[in-house]
Amino acid sequence: MSGFSRRGFIGSAALGLAAEANAEADQADFSFKNNVPDPLLAGHELPTFKFELEKSIPGKVVGGNNAREATVKQLPISKGIAGVSMRLEPGGLRELHWHATAAEWAYVREGRVRTTVIDPEGNFEVNDFGPGDIWYFPRGHGHALQGLGPGTAHFILIFDNGYFSEFGTFSITDWIGHSPKELVAKNLGLPAELIEKLPREEVYFGRGPAPTGPPGPILHGRLKSPRLTHKYEMLKQGPHSVHAGGREWRVGADRFPISQTVTGVVLELEPGGLRELHWHPTSDEWQYVLSGKVRVTMFGSHGRYRVETLQAGDVGYIPQGYGHSVENASDSQPARLLIGFNTGHYEAIDLSSWIAGNPRSLLENNFRINGAEADQFPRDRVFIAPKAGPPRHKEGYDVFPVAEPDRR
Ligand code: MN
Ligand code: MN
């Protein structure tokens, strides 16, 4: 071994050990990351937290198939979560691939999609999805997506890593196409003529006839189903929180057990409705406006406050722990948002319940008001305020997951 390559070897071995140590630290406790100052969030003003995803140029286009993405490159603040808007024509195929550095969560907006997925235990699942359905593929699990038609399927993908790029995935054609032909022949037992026919470069989007009817048997004929399904029919249920100002569907690991690293929300706001000031102790928040127009506020301490108006197709992002609110900016049209959190175990603290959990005397002192004035604060969590402001008495309800006691 030459001196140079030996140094290189020792260097990379040391790097490997450091990476292993970091990985261990990551698994042990994520909270230390909060202690590392993020230069992007340390300035006198907060950076933008808005990106016009649907107005951006797609990173990939093949026929009627295309994908637009929002990562730290397009939206630097979005370090914890990346998102993709993807469309598949009937028969369009997002080829077999896996993601080395992110789990994938998806919400179908329009059309129908078929997915296949394999897990490390050798279980397979083939599922068909329609509007309002969601899927979750754990980090590294191999999968493919296919447009079933009629019409184009449109879905929003959320990845639990803002540095993850959909265009940096591990695709089957890319892998096989760059492996030595002799190795592929030995591996798969295929004749040379057939290996010659396989693509040499990444296909990414395949095109072909739309499948008709059910998927049919898989190649080896035996379907071994996973213990936990990858599919959840989110909007087929009633909303989980209902208030005069709007309603919310929320699905995390409680209702959809495989989804350990993502919680998904559909938030519907009546005209003028307000999702009150709150923060999330344990996760970042990624927003995509499905319809309407909303005003999102973000508070970052030391008087730093930023407001962005998001239209349909725009993306917003709130870092973990930052105060924020979402308000329907229209007086006549409802607004709908898709929201993703990079945790399967959602947590939030709302301003109204925080205040209501304190003695009157403390509030008098803190806000420099008298007792009668302190009495005017809400007694119950507001959560979603209607246009006219919160009612004096509790309204609305929450449907808690089965695992939790009914606190209504
Ligand atoms: Mn994928
Ligand atoms: Mn939030």
Side-chain angles (χ1 to χ4, degrees):
M1 194 181 270
S2 77
F4 176 80
S5 64
R6 186 175 163 76
R7 247 197 328 275
F9 173 76
I10 291 167
S12 53
L15 275 177
L17 283 179
E20 230 168 76
N22 278 340
E24 266 172 36
D26 277 4
Q27 273 172 3
D29 180 11
F30 279 100
S31 64
F32 77 93
K33 287 182 175 168
N34 280 339
N35 301 335
V36 182
D38 181 349
L40 191 70
L41 293 169
H44 289 296
E45 284 179 23
L46 296 172
T48 185
F49 57 86
K50 169 184 171 176
F51 176 64
E52 296 180 340
L53 180 63
E54 296 295 352
K55 287 185 190 148
S56 68
I57 297 165
K60 288 268 188 191
V61 182
V62 178
N65 308 303
N66 59 65
R68 295 170 166 82
E69 71 177 355
T71 70
V72 285
K73 199 170 159 197
Q74 291 79 16
L75 181 59
I77 195 175
S78 66
K79 294 179 178 178
I81 304 170
V84 166
S85 169
M86 189 175 285
R87 289 171 173 84
L88 288 177
E89 62 189 0
L93 176 71
R94 175 67 184 90
E95 73 165 315
L96 288 162
H97 66 281
W98 77 92
H99 308 296
T101 58
E104 171 176 321
W105 185 98
Y107 171 86
V108 179
R109 289 194 70 186
E110 286 168 12
R112 294 165 62 234
V113 185
R114 175 168 296 160
T115 69
T116 73
V117 58
I118 185 171
D119 72 14
E121 282 105 52
N123 303 308
F124 306 89
E125 198 174 27
V126 181
N127 287 120
D128 290 355
F129 295 78
D133 295 343
I134 62 178
W135 69 71
Y136 178 87
F137 301 139
R139 188 174 287 212
H141 293 201
H143 57 278
L145 321 171
Q146 193 173 30
L148 293 177
T152 297
H154 181 210
F155 44 96
I156 305 300
L157 302 166
I158 293 176
F159 300 94
D160 57 357
N161 178 354
Y163 292 85
F164 168 77
S165 169
E166 171 62 11
F167 311 130
T169 59
F170 290 64
S171 295
I172 197 165
T173 51
D174 194 14
W175 194 16
I176 293 178
H178 288 92
S179 296
K181 288 173 190 168
E182 307 71 41
L183 188 148
V184 176
K186 186 191 273 185
N187 193 148
L188 298 176
L190 300 176
E193 314 85 80
L194 180 48
I195 290 170
E196 275 313 317
K197 286 181 73 177
L198 300 178
R200 306 240 54 95
E201 300 297 335
E202 183 183 33
V203 166
Y204 193 85
F205 281 134
R207 305 187 75 188
T212 50
I218 59 175
L219 201 56
H220 72 35
R222 309 178 304 277
L223 190 65
K224 198 177 148 209
S225 294
R227 192 170 54 84
L228 299 175
T229 179
H230 299 81
K231 177 182 174 181
Y232 189 84
E233 295 179 333
M234 187 174 185
L235 291 197
K236 286 226 174 98
Q237 326 179 22
H240 304 122
S241 292
V242 178
H243 294 260
R247 54 209 63 83
E248 183 182 272
W249 289 257
R250 187 164 72 224
V251 177
D254 45 8
R255 294 187 169 92
F256 186 26
I258 200 168
S259 190
Q260 287 294 319
T261 67
V262 176
T263 295
V265 161
V266 169
L267 174 66
E268 203 168 67
L269 294 172
E270 292 297 327
L274 169 70
R275 169 69 180 96
E276 72 165 310
L277 291 165
H278 66 284
W279 73 94
H280 304 288
T282 54
S283 67
D284 303 306
E285 171 170 335
W286 190 91
Q287 308 162 334
Y288 174 93
V289 181
L290 294 165
S291 63
K293 187 165 97 174
V294 294
R295 247 187 322 267
V296 180
T297 72
M298 182 164 95
F299 168 62
S301 77
H302 303 296
R304 298 180 308 159
Y305 204 92
R306 193 172 178 117
V307 184
E308 306 269 17
T309 300
L310 308 184
Q311 314 255 12
D314 292 349
V315 163
Y317 186 88
I318 308 291
Q320 178 178 328
Y322 278 58
H324 59 284
S325 64
V326 183
E327 183 183 18
N328 187 342
S330 165
D331 276 338
S332 53
Q333 302 295 318
R336 213 180 227 209
L337 286 93
L338 178 69
I339 301 175
F341 302 91
N342 49 356
T343 175
H345 306 273
Y346 173 91
E347 286 185 357
I349 297 178
D350 291 353
L351 178 68
S352 56
S353 27
W354 188 25
I355 291 172
N358 281 278
R360 186 182 287 99
S361 58
L362 187 147
L363 297 175
E364 288 172 32
N365 184 331
N366 198 148
F367 292 121
R368 298 173 188 153
I369 54 178
N370 62 40
E373 288 161 339
D375 263 337
Q376 293 173 42
F377 281 93
R379 295 290 188 275
D380 297 299
R381 183 179 75 135
V382 170
F383 190 55
I384 303 174
K387 190 173 160 183
R392 290 303 296 153
H393 301 288
K394 183 163 174 61
E395 54 88 36
Y397 63 88
D398 303 307
V399 181
F400 288 98
V402 189
E404 281 191 53
D406 190 341
R407 293 192 224 129
R408 259 175 286 170

